[in-house]
Amino acid sequence: MGSSSSSYAPKTIYLDVDGKVQKVVFSQHCSPCDIKELLCSSSNIPRNTAIMMVDPEGALVSIDPTMPTNSPNSLYKVVPLSTPQLGEKEDMFQNVLSQVAEQFSRAFRINELKTEVTNRIAMLEKRVELEGLKVVEIEKCKNELKKLRDEMTSRGGGRVNCPCKYNFSDDGKKVTPRRDVPSYPKYTLSQETIEALKKPTFDVWHWEHNEMLSCLEYMYHDLGLVKEFNMNPITLKRWLLAVQENYRNNPFHNFRHCFCVSQMMYGMIHLCNLQEKLTLTDMGILMTAAVCHDLDHPGYNNTYQINARTELAVRYNDISPLENHHCAVAFQILSLPECNIFANVDPEAFKQIRKAIIALILATDMARHGEILEAFKQKVDNFDFTNEEHVTCLKMLLIKCCDISNEVRPTEVAEPWVDCLLEEYFMQSDREKSEGLPVAPFMDRDKVTKPTAQIGFIKFVLIPMFETVMKLFPQIEELMVQPLRDSRDHYEELKQIDDAMTEGSSFMITFRTDLKKCE
């Protein structure tokens, strides 16, 4: 886990003292007076001597904790100033007396200050009272609007029972990222964590949201995306915060899943040496699509959206309603100037980036799985990294791999995700039953078990897809394909145990029934 960075790190400068290099170390929280005393001691100059410090070009360097650091090849020099003349000392004494007199004058005006403060408090109280009345009126209007909307919904008879956190009728006002400097703590990642981030074995469960945000921020810097797209680092922070705030607290499709997919994408970029094969623009498209791919997921899949005729299904004509919604929310966030990480990209280049990100997010619809995998199979034997169509097909398959890659991870990391997914499935199937909608067997709590849910998915979806990618990148076999085979064997063993227990229970029931007949 990353350790929190400290604001107490010491600062180091190097001095030229009689032709020798003198290293000086001090805390960034020292006062300028303390630093001056330290510089005097280091330069063999009597304490309390007035000094100045210059760089090799003779320019003055401010003596305070914010002074720029230097190196042994660019030494600062401490120079004592001449002793002030008597007249100067008298002026200084007069200045001190003037300041003391001013302080006494302020002290005697305390009654005037009290009156002024009282008046200001009275004005503020009146303002708060007025603002409070405005808030009451606003709330009253909101309630009236809600009643009107409910009345219109009931009259229309339409089913809008899967509300989205982000509603397009609100003109984007649901997306309200912070405009001040983001305040999540900055974590300094250890070298161990940095190396672990590059591997599929990374344990995503040990990290708080703030730490995951810092890891995502690190990935963008490490891949060179901040420099490539000339991103403002503060804008990157604001964008990541806005993204996090627009993931719901679903059992499965939540911000941790977003981080999980993004970390796997970052890992595959390193494992497959994609930095040597794709452009930095491609890297930015892959990472940004991974971060945004499930924005504002409501926890109910496309089948439910279409069968329930929800607002999203109607809006997108039953064509990948969720994935289209994820894209729309992603670019609504990017449309905010304070969150636009691509603000400094040429408009024509941004059009291509937007088009590519949309294509990747839409590719995560499992209804298109067979189509996308078959298209890649036709290209993989003669794959050409200079062919734009080939590269687009590869990027679509990469985000699909990352999106459903949990079983690639170690069992102790992967298995909790199965529990989360089943919980979300059961919530949906319970709702479908209550609304009289069709229920998929693999989502029905009365029919599915963890082994039966996973075996078919691993055997017929995951392994064939990753083995196809392995043809282009053989290095993924050990770290990604073999764990999938092990996971398949693990769940098949669990199924055999479940079947044996079920058979044993059936035998005991039959035995007891026969025994009663004999009696």
Side-chain angles (χ1 to χ4, degrees):
M1 185 179 287
S3 58
S4 180
S5 64
S6 173
S7 60
Y8 296 93
K11 200 161 191 176
T12 303
I13 62 169
Y14 298 89
L15 302 177
D16 176 2
V17 180
D18 299 327
K20 296 180 180 179
V21 177
Q22 176 65 49
K23 180 179 178 182
V24 179
V25 180
F26 58 90
S27 166
Q28 295 188 36
H29 296 275
C30 283
S31 68
C33 290
D34 292 337
I35 297 173
K36 285 179 179 179
E37 285 194 15
L38 181 62
L39 293 176
C40 285
S41 300
S42 303
S43 303
N44 302 322
I45 296 172
R47 291 177 62 187
N48 300 324
T49 301
I51 59 171
M52 66 177 183
M53 189 162 64
V54 296
D55 65 14
E57 282 75 37
L60 287 173
V61 179
S62 62
I63 302 176
D64 59 63
T66 64
M67 73 174 74
T69 56
N70 63 339
S71 69
N73 297 323
S74 179
L75 301 175
Y76 291 157
K77 190 172 184 66
V78 176
V79 181
L81 297 174
S82 58
T83 304
Q85 298 301 315
L86 187 60
E88 294 176 356
K89 286 185 177 180
E90 288 178 354
D91 290 341
M92 289 172 62
F93 185 66
Q94 287 297 329
N95 286 336
V96 171
L97 284 178
S98 299
Q99 291 177 18
V100 171
E102 185 180 347
Q103 293 297 328
F104 272 108
S105 175
R106 286 182 182 175
F108 286 119
R109 286 169 50 208
I110 190 156
N111 289 330
E112 295 176 22
L113 289 172
K114 279 184 179 178
T115 304
E116 185 180 346
V117 169
T118 303
N119 291 337
R120 287 193 182 184
I121 289 174
M123 289 175 62
L124 286 172
E125 286 175 344
K126 189 172 182 180
R127 184 175 174 183
V128 167
E129 184 180 352
L130 291 172
E131 293 295 329
L133 290 173
K134 287 181 183 178
V135 170
V136 171
E137 289 298 318
I138 290 169
E139 286 301 317
K140 186 177 177 182
C141 289
K142 282 184 177 178
N143 290 332
E144 289 175 358
L145 283 171
K146 186 177 184 300
K147 288 178 183 177
L148 183 61
R149 189 180 289 116
D150 292 342
E151 186 180 342
M152 291 173 66
T153 302
S154 61
R155 285 181 182 177
R159 190 194 298 266
V160 190
N161 49 13
C162 185
C164 290
K165 178 181 177 184
Y166 179 87
N167 191 327
F168 285 90
S169 63
D170 293 339
D171 294 328
K173 291 177 184 175
K174 287 279 184 177
V175 183
T176 53
R178 304 167 192 174
R179 286 169 171 75
D180 57 343
V181 177
S183 59
Y184 65 84
K186 173 70 177 175
Y187 290 88
T188 299
L189 305 183
S190 66
Q191 191 59 38
E192 180 184 2
T193 300
I194 289 171
E195 292 306 314
L197 267 176
K198 299 174 183 177
K199 298 174 183 176
T201 52
F202 187 81
D203 189 345
V204 297
W205 293 107
H206 289 172
W207 300 78
E208 300 297 330
H209 278 192
N210 287 338
E211 295 172 306
M212 291 189 279
L213 286 167
S214 286
C215 286
L216 289 170
E217 187 183 349
Y218 169 80
M219 293 175 200
Y220 270 74
H221 281 278
D222 179 59
L223 291 173
L225 304 182
V226 175
K227 185 177 180 181
E228 172 68 14
F229 297 109
N230 193 19
M231 294 179 191
N232 181 334
I234 298 299
T235 303
L236 175 62
K237 286 176 178 284
R238 287 200 190 100
W239 174 71
L240 288 171
L241 272 171
V243 165
Q244 182 214 336
E245 289 165 1
N246 281 277
Y247 271 92
R248 301 197 201 185
N249 292 324
N250 298 315
F252 184 90
H253 291 101
N254 50 40
F255 181 64
R256 192 174 299 278
H257 169 66
C258 152
F259 175 69
C260 194
V261 174
S262 304
Q263 183 275 322
M264 187 62 75
M265 180 66 78
Y266 178 72
M268 289 196 77
I269 287 172
H270 283 283
L271 184 59
C272 301
N273 298 318
L274 293 180
Q275 289 159 300
E276 298 177 6
K277 299 175 173 65
L278 302 180
T279 65
L280 276 171
T281 298
D282 288 327
M283 301 292 125
I285 290 166
L286 284 168
M287 288 300 300
T288 306
V291 170
C292 297
H293 83 283
D294 269 334
L295 271 168
D296 195 37
H297 196 297
Y300 300 91
N301 68 13
N302 279 333
T303 302
Y304 175 84
Q305 305 296 324
I306 293 167
N307 288 339
R309 297 197 296 273
T310 64
E311 180 185 347
L312 290 180
V314 172
R315 178 180 297 279
Y316 296 111
N317 304 308
D318 296 348
I319 302 170
S320 303
L322 288 181
E323 288 71 27
N324 273 296
H325 180 60
H326 306 325
C327 291
V329 176
F331 284 96
Q332 192 65 30
I333 293 172
L334 284 169
S335 72
L336 300 169
E338 61 269 30
C339 294
N340 187 4
I341 56 174
F342 298 115
N344 297 320
V345 173
D346 175 76
E348 283 303 314
F350 177 73
K351 282 183 183 178
Q352 296 305 312
I353 291 170
R354 169 175 157 80
K355 179 181 176 183
I357 290 174
I358 291 172
L360 264 59
I361 294 177
L362 292 180
T364 62
D365 184 355
M366 285 303 294
R368 298 182 57 201
H369 176 77
E371 162 208 336
I372 294 169
L373 182 58
E374 187 58 35
F376 185 76
K377 283 181 177 178
Q378 293 175 7
K379 299 174 177 61
V380 67
D381 292 331
N382 298 294
F383 196 87
D384 181 3
F385 281 98
T386 63
N387 184 312
E388 185 178 346
E389 184 183 349
H390 285 211
V391 171
T392 299
C393 194
L394 169 63
K395 289 188 292 187
M396 291 168 75
L397 200 62
L398 285 173
I399 195 168
K400 283 180 57 60
C401 286
C402 295
D403 188 24
I404 54 177
S405 63
N406 286 326
E407 291 301 329
V408 168
R409 301 182 188 273
T411 304
E412 64 273 13
V413 180
E415 199 155 342
W417 281 116
V418 183
D419 297 323
C420 294
L421 185 59
L422 288 178
E423 182 183 349
E424 199 166 293
Y425 280 175
F426 295 158
M427 286 171 56
Q428 175 172 323
S429 62
D430 290 347
R431 186 168 182 172
E432 287 169 332
K433 290 175 185 177
S434 69
E435 295 179 357
L437 298 173
V439 178
F442 68 89
M443 302 179 84
D444 191 337
R445 69 172 71 246
D446 299 323
K447 297 179 181 178
V448 72
T449 64
K450 194 184 292 186
T452 57
Q454 291 301 97
I455 292 171
F457 187 67
I458 295 171
K459 285 175 69 172
F460 302 114
V461 177
L462 292 179
I463 291 178
M465 180 171 66
F466 277 86
E467 285 183 340
T468 303
V469 175
M470 188 177 73
K471 291 182 180 179
L472 189 61
F473 303 110
Q475 61 267 43
I476 75 167
E477 180 171 18
E478 181 183 353
L479 286 175
M480 302 189 84
V481 180
Q482 189 55 46
L484 287 174
R485 295 166 181 158
D486 295 339
S487 181
R488 172 200 60 198
D489 296 342
H490 167 68
Y491 283 112
E492 284 181 339
E493 287 175 8
L494 289 181
K495 185 176 184 300
Q496 288 176 3
I497 294 170
D498 286 351
D499 291 345
M501 292 178 68
T502 303
E503 187 177 339
S505 299
S506 300
F507 173 77
M508 289 302 296
I509 292 170
T510 305
F511 177 76
R512 286 171 182 163
T513 303
D514 292 343
L515 192 61
K516 285 183 179 180
K517 287 179 181 178
C518 291
E519 291 174 353

